[in-house]
Amino acid sequence: MAAKADEPQAHIPKDQLPNIAYCITSPPPLPEAILLGFQHFLVMLGASVIIPSALVPQMGGTNEEKAKVIQTLLFVAGINTLTQTLFGSRLPAVIGASYTFVPTTISIILAGRFSDDPEDKFKRIMRAIQGSLIVASTLQIVLGFSGLWKNVARLLSPLSAVPLVAMVGFGLYELGFPGVAKCVEIGLPELIILVFVSQYLPHVVHSGKHLFDRFAVVFAIVIVWIYAHLLTVGGAYNGKPPKTQASCRTDRAGLIDAAPWIRVPYPFQWGAPSFDAGEAFAMMMAAFVALIESTGAFMAVARYASATHMPPSVLSRGVGWQGVGILIAGLFGTVNAASVSVENAGLLALTRVGSRRVVQISAGFMIFFSILGKFGAVFASIPAPIFAALYCLFFAYVGAVGLSFLQFCNLNSFRTKFILGFSVFLGLSIPQYFNEYIAINGRGPVHTSARWFNDMVNVPFSSEPFVAGIVAYFLDNTLHKRDGGIRKDRGKHWWDKFRSFDIDTRSEEFYSLPFNLNKYFPSV
């Protein structure tokens, strides 16, 4: 039966997400903010430990060097998160390790031009990675601070944002349950307990303090970590294959013994960076892919912080500071570069706390535990399947917020259906082809004698958000754009008031710089 014309809409589109407990500018009470900040620190530890643990041994590094790299990565992540929340986008975005840069880094490791001596090999590879990151950082710095990315972002509509933001979350599916299954007796209980504590328990136990839904991550990690440790000390994994022991045991990370008690990371700690033109170009392409992905992640963070849509100038400013973050990563030597942490964006949704203050406190934890190495190593020894279980929930939240932009679009339009379906399908299908080819043949479909050129093609087309976002952006801005009504179909009118910083007064509330710096760095 058709609804009556005068019946109100049940779900009215809103440019700010309702039901957020603490938005970007409203911090919770200090004790609660500290615990929430610590929870963000725990969540970002996953990538910060998994990536160096996979790369450093391939570089010839020992557990001691792995511990130092993890410390450095945490230290740099703390600095970059503080600068991003203070001077960049001003969003509660954690800037941490990125899986996007891993294929290019592995390509440098396998270059074959480094010595066989493990210690010398590790340092020489590290210097080569540093050099390529330093050069690659200029891409985001120039695009961001020059305002060029602002001009690109102005052409984004809610329709073209849907595939981009959705694939930022859903495109990381291979890091979810496949990681849980590496030690299913640990990962699956973590996933079940996390869902139960965060989604069901608050409706059973009416404490009125949001204890379970807001701190579900701490509850779930502590319970399963203790359980995993009991399995380890009880001998459950004695005699098991090395892969099983590495995934399941709580004492196989080798970090606690190797980490120094106190150590402050510093620039050029591995020596002077070395530069290779081809590797720099390849890393620059990885930085461009990370730029596309971070654009979607920034939009997800803004939504879950209950902020308004980011003015393009603010997004461009955030990209510029992210480029500075990659530069800092290159100077310090972290094996990896910085981008917006997708898992922490999902945590904002789980807790319904989008406070900037909370994320700044988490940056303090990153710096604190990176300097006090032994204490940080204890938390870094959490088994990887526990983090994979967290990813199942957090990446799903980010994917879902991408789909939520559909509320601004006309879903009865065949143009909308084509752009949405075609971009999402190619965003899944093309990377699947590239990743399958690499898994079967040990190399990408593009295979020439120039490794750097291979990486420049294979890396972007292995990224779901990159492919889906580029296809949707191109189609949305070229297909029947001048036809009447198309502007409303794509939802562009919803974002018109955010095209410039000073059109909507809420932009200043959420995104203006501190210390009256807008006077010197106007966002226009």
Side-chain angles (χ1 to χ4, degrees):
M1 183 182 293
K4 293 180 181 178
D6 58 348
E7 282 187 4
Q9 282 184 277
H11 308 289
I12 301 171
K14 293 181 182 293
D15 51 24
Q16 281 180 263
L17 190 66
N19 302 320
I20 297 294
Y22 297 98
C23 75
I24 183 171
T25 55
S26 60
L30 187 58
E32 190 174 341
I34 291 173
L35 190 53
L36 286 165
F38 180 70
Q39 202 167 228
H40 272 281
F41 165 71
L42 287 178
V43 168
M44 66 82 61
L45 266 179
S48 302
V49 173
I50 291 170
I51 292 174
S53 296
L55 296 180
V56 171
Q58 296 184 53
M59 298 164 63
T62 62
N63 282 339
E64 182 180 349
E65 284 154 336
K66 181 169 71 174
K68 288 181 179 178
V69 170
I70 292 171
Q71 279 183 279
T72 305
L73 203 156
L74 286 174
F75 185 80
V76 168
I79 293 173
N80 289 335
T81 300
L82 282 176
T83 56
Q84 186 66 235
T85 55
L86 285 171
F87 308 115
S89 65
R90 300 280 286 150
L91 289 169
V94 171
I95 308 297
S98 171
Y99 290 98
T100 304
F101 293 88
V102 171
T104 309
T105 304
I106 291 175
S107 181
I108 296 174
I109 294 171
L110 300 177
R113 57 185 174 86
F114 306 104
S115 68
D116 294 327
D117 177 58
E119 184 177 352
D120 184 54
K121 179 183 178 182
F122 171 80
K123 289 187 176 179
R124 289 186 63 187
I125 293 175
M126 178 64 84
R127 293 168 190 166
I129 295 169
Q130 287 182 257
S132 62
L133 287 176
I134 289 170
V135 175
S137 69
T138 58
L139 177 79
Q140 292 195 16
I141 290 173
V142 170
L143 287 177
F145 290 135
S146 68
L148 288 172
W149 197 246
K150 171 182 66 177
N151 298 325
V152 174
R154 277 185 174 154
L155 296 177
L156 265 174
S157 73
L159 176 58
S160 52
V162 170
L164 170 62
V165 183
M167 287 299 108
V168 165
F170 295 143
L172 294 169
Y173 62 88
E174 71 273 10
L175 300 174
F177 200 80
V180 170
K182 288 181 179 177
C183 189
V184 72
E185 64 268 31
I186 291 176
L188 194 56
E190 171 72 19
L191 181 57
I192 293 171
I193 292 172
L194 182 64
V195 172
F196 176 75
V197 173
S198 65
Q199 305 300 322
Y200 290 92
L201 203 55
H203 299 283
V204 176
V205 181
H206 300 282
S207 64
K209 296 183 179 179
H210 299 285
L211 185 65
F212 297 110
D213 49 350
R214 202 160 288 170
F215 303 106
V217 170
V218 171
F219 281 116
I221 287 181
V222 168
I223 292 169
V224 179
W225 193 11
I226 292 172
Y227 162 65
H229 187 64
L230 292 175
L231 288 178
T232 300
V233 298
Y237 302 114
N238 294 346
K240 297 289 184 180
K243 282 189 177 181
T244 301
Q245 297 207 31
S247 297
C248 300
R249 295 183 70 101
T250 57
D251 59 357
R252 289 303 294 264
L255 296 174
I256 298 174
D257 292 336
W261 280 102
I262 296 177
R263 179 177 180 271
V264 180
Y266 55 92
F268 308 121
Q269 57 190 329
W270 314 109
S274 62
F275 297 91
D276 179 273
E279 291 170 357
F281 278 118
M283 194 65 80
M284 198 172 286
M285 178 54 75
F288 183 65
V289 175
L291 166 57
I292 301 288
E293 295 174 356
S294 290
T295 297
F298 273 132
M299 295 171 73
V301 171
R303 190 78 178 152
Y304 280 136
S306 196
T308 52
H309 178 63
M310 297 178 71
S313 58
V314 173
L315 174 61
S316 195
R317 190 176 72 198
V319 164
W321 277 102
Q322 185 173 268
V324 173
I326 298 174
L327 174 62
I328 295 172
L331 295 175
F332 277 78
T334 61
V335 180
N336 196 261
S339 70
V340 179
S341 171
V342 181
E343 51 267 40
N344 287 88
L347 181 59
L348 297 176
L350 182 73
T351 60
R352 299 189 186 183
V353 176
S355 167
R356 183 189 297 134
R357 180 75 52 80
V358 166
V359 170
Q360 290 171 339
I361 290 172
S362 79
F365 278 114
M366 295 172 210
I367 295 171
F368 177 77
F369 283 116
S370 68
I371 294 173
L372 297 178
K374 292 287 187 189
F375 294 99
V378 171
F379 295 109
S381 65
I382 299 172
I386 290 180
F387 290 110
L390 301 180
Y391 293 165
C392 290
L393 201 61
F394 298 148
F395 294 159
Y397 263 129
V398 173
V401 83
L403 298 180
S404 75
F405 288 120
L406 287 171
Q407 66 185 301
F408 305 119
C409 307
N410 179 10
L411 292 178
N412 292 318
S413 163
F414 277 94
R415 178 185 184 274
T416 300
K417 288 180 172 62
F418 168 70
I419 293 174
L420 185 64
F422 190 62
S423 58
V424 169
F425 183 84
L426 288 187
L428 292 170
S429 191
I430 292 176
Q432 179 68 15
Y433 165 71
F434 274 77
N435 292 328
E436 275 187 9
Y437 197 103
I438 292 169
I440 294 171
N441 299 285
R443 58 178 177 81
V446 178
H447 185 66
T448 67
S449 57
R451 285 184 308 104
W452 60 272
F453 178 77
N454 303 337
D455 292 337
M456 288 185 71
V457 179
N458 292 326
V459 169
F461 286 104
S462 299
S463 165
E464 288 87 351
F466 178 85
V467 175
I470 292 294
V471 171
Y473 184 86
F474 174 78
L475 292 175
D476 191 37
N477 284 288
T478 57
L479 191 62
H480 315 312
K481 190 180 174 184
R482 295 183 180 178
D483 290 3
I486 292 295
R487 186 175 182 81
K488 284 194 172 183
D489 284 354
R490 58 203 288 251
K492 198 74 172 73
H493 60 291
W494 277 95
W495 287 357
D496 281 345
K497 54 181 170 290
F498 307 116
R499 277 178 59 84
S500 296
F501 184 81
D502 53 359
I503 297 177
D504 193 292
T505 56
R506 291 172 294 178
S507 294
E508 184 169 354
E509 177 190 352
F510 296 132
Y511 301 112
S512 61
L513 293 171
F515 316 121
N516 204 26
L517 287 175
N518 272 48
K519 184 186 297 184
Y520 307 102
F521 303 99
S523 299
V524 294

